[in-house]
Amino acid sequence: MWLYLLLVALVWALGWLVRDRRTLPSVKDKHVFITGCDSGFGNLLARRLARRGYRVLAACLTQRGADGLQRSCSGHLRTTLLDVTRPDSVRRAAEWVRAEVGEKGLFGLVNNAGVANPIGPTEWMAMDDYRQVMAVNAFGVIEVTLQLLPLLKRARGRVVNTSSVLGRLAANGGGYCISKYCVEAFSDSLRRDMYHFGVKVSIVEPGFFKTAVTNLESIEGSLRQLWERLAPETRLSYGEDFFHK
């Protein structure tokens, strides 16, 4: 029995290794649009794909982030500014992408832009706290995707949405986990809808990697702000020891 299970595991591992090593014969005419490239996963992915020969279209929130990425990369990479919470910014970015890709369409879209704070006990939250996170992590993903779907269909491309392990298990209050559950559901429905057009949809579910989103100082600072704005009776119900644990 154990020998059989070991054999199955080895075959599965070999199949995974072979699939993981598969590469496209040519990527020089493949355009990939990535959001959230100021730092973290988006920044690393943009540089890596550019080194491998893809034509990377990298969207950054700040000019500083765009300039820094452009300086650090010598491959086929172009940058633009994008605030995924602003419809006018999303439309401008989509028009820029259309001009860049032309009739070939868009080979890949990576929805990576995201925020985490504020994170904390649910009772400490206000509705604006939820709206702030959902605007980036959920509605931003949806709006960017909707704007670029015609280009993705033209190229029979693929969408990669950055979710999280917390899109499967809610470990804390605030909008982050909720937004990632939304990304999972949106991706699943989009995958079914786009199957007819040959557009693939994938989800990436990172754990606790060292990025700006998981910066502990930022999270602790956000928690303190939430604590300090609580009504006195609410703070009293928790007690000072609760906050300092």
Side-chain angles (χ1 to χ4, degrees):
M1 177 63 179
W2 289 110
L3 183 60
Y4 172 76
L5 292 176
L6 179 60
L7 181 61
V8 170
L10 287 173
V11 170
W12 177 85
L14 181 61
W16 181 273
L17 182 63
V18 170
R19 190 184 72 167
D20 195 50
R21 289 180 175 273
R22 292 173 62 188
T23 58
L24 293 168
S26 175
V27 299
K28 291 183 179 179
D29 61 341
K30 309 295 186 185
H31 289 83
V32 180
F33 181 63
I34 310 169
T35 68
C37 292
D38 295 73
S39 62
F41 292 138
N43 187 282
L44 290 172
L45 179 62
R47 287 188 281 146
R48 179 169 183 177
L49 291 184
R51 285 197 301 269
R52 296 186 65 174
Y54 288 88
R55 296 189 177 276
V56 177
L57 306 175
C60 297
L61 179 62
T62 67
Q63 188 63 55
R64 179 180 179 182
D67 292 342
L69 176 58
Q70 196 75 68
R71 285 195 302 269
S72 68
C73 185
S74 58
H76 298 286
L77 181 143
R78 296 199 62 193
T79 61
T80 190
L81 297 183
L82 170 63
D83 181 346
V84 299
T85 68
R86 293 174 48 198
D88 60 328
S89 180
V90 175
R91 284 193 296 270
R92 283 196 300 270
E95 290 168 2
W96 176 76
V97 172
R98 289 188 194 98
E100 289 290 327
V101 304
E103 293 301 316
K104 293 188 293 292
L106 184 61
F107 176 76
L109 164 63
V110 182
N111 283 305
N112 170 74
V115 295
N117 291 324
I119 289 174
T122 300
E123 190 179 12
W124 298 14
M125 300 293 158
M127 280 306 301
D128 281 346
D129 297 326
Y130 288 97
R131 293 189 183 101
Q132 172 185 325
V133 177
M134 292 290 289
V136 179
N137 295 2
F139 301 134
V141 169
I142 294 171
E143 185 157 14
V144 170
T145 303
L146 291 178
Q147 285 285 340
L148 295 176
L149 273 182
L151 298 177
L152 289 158
K153 288 164 63 179
R154 186 181 303 169
R156 296 176 68 86
R158 64 268 303 125
V159 179
V160 179
N161 291 328
T162 303
S163 179
S164 168
V165 293
L166 297 181
R168 289 181 174 268
L169 176 66
N172 49 257
Y176 186 77
C177 297
I178 296 170
S179 69
K180 293 306 183 180
Y181 269 76
C182 180
V183 169
E184 301 264 340
F186 173 68
S187 301
D188 288 344
S189 59
L190 181 66
R191 185 181 303 111
R192 287 190 296 271
D193 295 340
M194 288 295 106
Y195 177 80
H196 173 74
F197 300 99
V199 175
K200 298 178 175 61
V201 180
S202 302
I203 304 170
V204 180
E205 297 173 329
F208 199 82
F209 287 83
K210 188 177 181 180
T211 67
V213 169
T214 58
N215 182 277
L216 291 179
E217 289 185 4
S218 175
I219 293 173
E220 289 172 0
S222 176
L223 272 172
R224 179 167 293 280
Q225 289 180 351
L226 293 174
W227 174 257
E228 291 176 350
R229 79 179 188 191
L230 288 176
E233 59 271 21
T234 305
R235 292 175 63 174
L236 184 62
S237 70
Y238 283 89
E240 291 288 338
D241 289 343
F242 181 90
F243 176 73
H244 293 292
K245 283 181 181 178

